[in-house]
Amino acid sequence: MRKVLVINGPNMNMLGIREPEIYGKTTYSQLVDMIKIWASELGFEAEVFQSNHEGDIVDRIQQAYGFFDALVLNPAAYTHTSVAIPDAIRAVGLPAVEVHISDVDSREDFRRISYIAPVCIVSIKGHGIDGYREALEILKKRIIKDGLQIC
Ligand code: DQA
């Protein structure tokens, strides 16, 4: 079975508590459960990782090399500041999709800047937690298109 690594950045562990008017009421542990179910429906095995530390996210992306087939990333605030995270994605060369629960383009100006968008197949913004499911669907299509049939 193909393996996908889903990475969530700082404060994503506060989902459900954190600004529910922006990020919704689903808790982080409910999100993790849903990602795993959606992934298995699409023929993926998902591992979900969250960290509040940029270097830990870089380490996890590097460790994915040779063990995972694809990445889904919501680097949260590091989206708008990190050069190390996109460098790590480029280094491992895995197909990646960027997800943001909120519509970052209609919020503060600084949220319109994404350093990881250029290294991702697509960026999904403002679709709530469904964005993670859409990311998995896109990665499934990409893997099939590249001839790497999911079994
Ligand atoms: C976020 C958007 C970011 O701007 C913010 O810093 C986050 C969450 C989102 O999922 O909408 O922490 O990535």
Side-chain angles (χ1 to χ4, degrees), residues 89-147:
I89 299 168
R90 262 192 218 99
V92 297
L94 290 171
V97 173
E98 173 185 18
V99 174
H100 297 288
I101 290 174
S102 66
D103 180 9
V104 280
D105 292 337
S106 63
R107 298 179 64 193
E108 301 95 323
D109 283 351
F110 68 86
R111 293 189 204 274
R112 292 194 189 149
I113 297 160
S114 169
Y115 287 104
I116 79 152
V119 298
C120 291
I121 297 166
V122 72
S123 302
I124 300 168
K125 309 165 193 175
H127 297 185
I129 60 168
D130 281 350
Y132 289 86
R133 188 186 166 88
E134 291 168 33
L136 293 165
E137 285 167 353
I138 288 162
L139 287 167
K140 180 180 178 177
K141 279 184 200 142
R142 169 56 66 101
I143 286 171
I144 290 169
K145 184 172 151 275
D146 290 349

Side-chain angles (χ1 to χ4, degrees), residues 3-10 12 28 31 35 46-51 53-65 68-80 82-102 104 113-126 128-139:
K3 289 187 74 179
V4 62
L5 177 62
V6 181
I7 296 181
N8 286 296
M12 297 306 294
Y28 186 68
L31 174 67
I35 289 171
E47 183 174 315
V48 188
F49 174 80
Q50 190 276 330
S51 177
H53 306 280
E54 184 177 14
D56 289 348
I57 293 171
V58 170
D59 285 344
R60 195 66 197 90
I61 294 168
Q62 290 182 5
Q63 288 157 5
Y65 181 74
F68 286 87
D69 301 286
L71 302 171
V72 173
L73 295 113
N74 182 349
Y78 289 139
T79 307
H80 319 299
S82 175
V83 174
I85 292 172
D87 278 355
I89 299 168
R90 262 192 218 99
V92 297
L94 290 171
V97 173
E98 173 185 18
V99 174
H100 297 288
I101 290 174
S102 66
V104 280
I113 297 160
S114 169
Y115 287 104
I116 79 152
V119 298
C120 291
I121 297 166
V122 72
S123 302
I124 300 168
K125 309 165 193 175
I129 60 168
D130 281 350
Y132 289 86
R133 188 186 166 88
E134 291 168 33
L136 293 165
E137 285 167 353
I138 288 162
L139 287 167

